[in-house]
Amino acid sequence: MKRLILALYIAFLLVPIYWLVNMSLKTNQEIVSTMTIFPRDITFANYMTIFTDPAWYSGYINSITYVVLNTIISISVALPAAYAFSRYRFLGDKHMFFWLLTNRMAPPAVFALPFFNLYSAIGLFDTPLAVALAHCLFNVPLAVWILEGFMSGVPREIDETAYIDGYSFPRFFVKIFMPLIASGIGVAAFFCFMFSWVELLLARTLTSVNAKPIAATMTRTVSAAGIDWGVLAAAGVLTIVPGAIVIYFVRNYIAKGFALGRV
Amino acid sequence: MNKPFDNRAWFLVLPVFLLVAFSAILPLMTVVNYSVQDTFGNNQFFWAGTDWYVQLLASERFHQALGRQLLFSAIILLIQIPLGVLIALCMPRKGWTVSLTLVLMALPLLIPWNVVGTIWQVFGRGDIGLLGYTLNRIGLDYNYVNNIGDAWVTIVVMDVWHWTSLVALLAYAGLRSIPDAYYQAAKIDGASRWSIFRLIQLPKMKHVLIIAVLLRFMDSFMIYTEPFVLTGGGPGNSTTFLSIDLVKLALGQFDLGPAAAMSIVYFLVILLLSWVFYTVMTRDENERQGGAS
C-alpha cells in the first residue's frame, strides 16, 4: 500500500518531465501532427540548434555566469555573519536576523521596478553582475540562515581551544572552522545556486540583450512560423540537467536547506 | 547556550548588512518615494500624498487580485500539507531506495520556475500535450486557455506537482528524528497505526510542519512565474494573482504611483507573515533548547 502510493506520486512527478524529454527528441512535424508516446525517429536536431546557435547557448553562459557570481558573493559575505550570529550576542542581533528573513520572503515583484531603476542608474543594467547582486537579496539571508544552523552544531570549545593555542581569528576560521562545516558550506552554496538558477522575474527585468538568461530566451521562442516546440522542449530539458546532477550530493540536506537550516 | 555579548561581532555582520541594505533598503526607499507622488512623464513628479493608497484600497481590481491570491494559497495548503505528510509516511526508512526516492522527489524543486510553467503549458495542451489530449479523448472538455475552471485546476495541479515534495521532505526529516525505541515501545503497548501517528509521529513533525505551512503559504502568496508562463493571468483576469497584477501595473503600464503603493501594501502583508514565521520558529527553538539543558 505504502509502495503503491509512493509509486503513484513519483509517476505523477515524472510523467510531465518525461513528456518534455520525449518532445525534445521529436521533429516539430511529429510533435504537431501526431500523438506518440515514444519518438518515432529519435532526432538530436533540437539540441544541435541550441549548441550551435549563439542566441541560445549564450543564454546558458549568461545564466551560469550570474549564478556562479551570486553564489560566490553570497557565501563569502554570509560566512563571517553566520559565525557572528552563532557565537555572539550583540546590539540588535535579533532584529538583524529578522530583517534578513524578511528579505528572503519579499516578493521579487515588489523589487522588479526599483531594481530596474537602481541598476540602470549605476550603469550595471544588462550585465550578469546586476542579476548576481539582485539575487543576493534572497540568497544572502538564506545562506546566513543555513550556515548559522550548521555552525551552531559545532561546539564552542573548539574555538576556545584554538585561541588558547595561539590561532588568530582569520587563521582559525579558514584552517580549522571552515573544514568543520564544509558540508554546511556545500549545502548553502547549492541552495544559493539553485534559487538563483530558478528565478526568472528579476533576471529578466534586469537584462535585455547582452546578459539575457536562458530562462528569458525561452519565453521568446514564438516566431512568425509559430512556436518551435522541439527546441523549446530541448532548452527546457537542458535547464533541468544541472539541478538533477547536483541534487544527488545534497539529497540528505535538502529538507534542511529549504527549512533555512532549521530542521 | 549562553553566548558572550560582544559588539565587535558587528564587524563580521557588516558586509552582509551593507550588501542587503544596498539591494533592499535603497530600492524600497524608491518605492516609498514613488508611492506618494504622481508623474506625467518627463521625470516631473508631483506630491500626491496618500491618494494612491486610498485609490488602491478602494479599487475593485486590487480586491479581486487579493481574493484570488488568498483563495489560491488556501487551496494549495489544504492539498499540499496532508498530501506531503501522507507521502512522507510512505517513504522508505532504510535501504538503497532511500537515495533514489529523495533524488526523484526533489527533481521538480530544482527546475527553473518558467520551465515548470512551460512543462505544464505543453503537457496540458489538447493538441500536443499528453494530459490535454488524454482528457479530451475520454470525453472531457478540457481547455486551460479558455475555461476559467480548467485554468485554475491546471495551476493548482502544477503547484502541487512543483512543491508537494518540499512538504514531504520536511515531514520526512521530522519522521527520521524519531528513535526506533519509540516504535518498539508502541508495538509492545499494542498501539494502533492511528495512535502511533497521532501520539508519536505528529508531535515529532510539529516543528517541521509549522515551517512547511509558513514557507508554502509565503511562497504561494508571491507566486508569479509559473502561472504567468502557463496562462498569463488569463482567461480574462481569472488567474491574475497579486504578483502578476503588480508586474502588469509596474512594468507593463508603467503606472509608477499605483504600482508603488501596491508594492508597499504587499510588502507590509509579507512583513507581517514573516514576523509570525520568525516568532514561531525561534520560540520553538528556545523551547527545545530549554528542554535540552
Side-chain angles (χ1 to χ4, degrees), chain A residues 100-150:
Chain A
L100 285 176
L101 175 77
T102 62
N103 289 308
R104 163 64 183 80
M105 299 306 174
V110 167
F111 288 91
L113 181 65
F115 272 179
F116 178 80
N117 288 342
L118 175 67
Y119 289 105
S120 303
I122 57 175
L124 281 177
F125 179 72
D126 204 14
T127 59
L129 187 61
V131 185
L133 284 174
H135 283 177
C136 282
L137 177 71
F138 46 83
N139 272 350
V140 168
L142 179 76
V144 172
W145 277 71
I146 295 180
L147 287 172
E148 201 268 345
F150 276 90

Side-chain angles (χ1 to χ4, degrees), chain B residues 11-81:
Chain B
F11 287 111
L12 298 171
V13 186
L14 203 61
V16 163
F17 179 76
L18 291 177
L19 187 66
V20 180
F22 173 74
S23 46
I25 295 179
L26 270 185
L28 217 54
M29 284 298 109
T30 333
V31 177
V32 172
N33 208 2
Y34 280 138
S35 74
V36 291
Q37 298 187 72
D38 195 3
T39 175
F40 301 110
N42 304 329
N43 275 326
Q44 291 183 358
F45 288 90
F46 305 92
W47 175 254
T50 54
D51 285 6
W52 296 126
Y53 292 96
V54 175
Q55 197 187 334
L56 175 83
L57 293 175
S59 85
E60 191 79 343
R61 176 173 164 176
F62 180 68
H63 292 165
Q64 283 174 351
L66 187 65
R68 280 190 289 263
Q69 186 66 70
L70 288 170
L71 178 65
F72 177 73
S73 292
I75 296 176
I76 289 303
L77 285 179
L78 282 177
I79 299 178
Q80 290 184 354
I81 300 297

Side-chain angles (χ1 to χ4, degrees), chain A residues 13 22 52 57 63 91 95 119 140 171 178 190 211 222 229 242:
Chain A
L13 295 184
N22 180 26
T52 51
Y57 68 72
S63 286
L91 193 66
H95 298 106
Y119 289 105
V140 168
R171 203 160 142 250
M178 276 174 60
F190 167 77
V222 190
W229 293 111

Side-chain angles (χ1 to χ4, degrees), chain B residues 122-140:
Chain B
V122 170
F123 194 57
R125 279 177 67 110
D127 50 350
I128 60 169
L130 189 61
L131 177 71
Y133 182 81
T134 318
L135 287 179
N136 284 337
R137 221 36 199 303
I138 59 173
L140 289 170

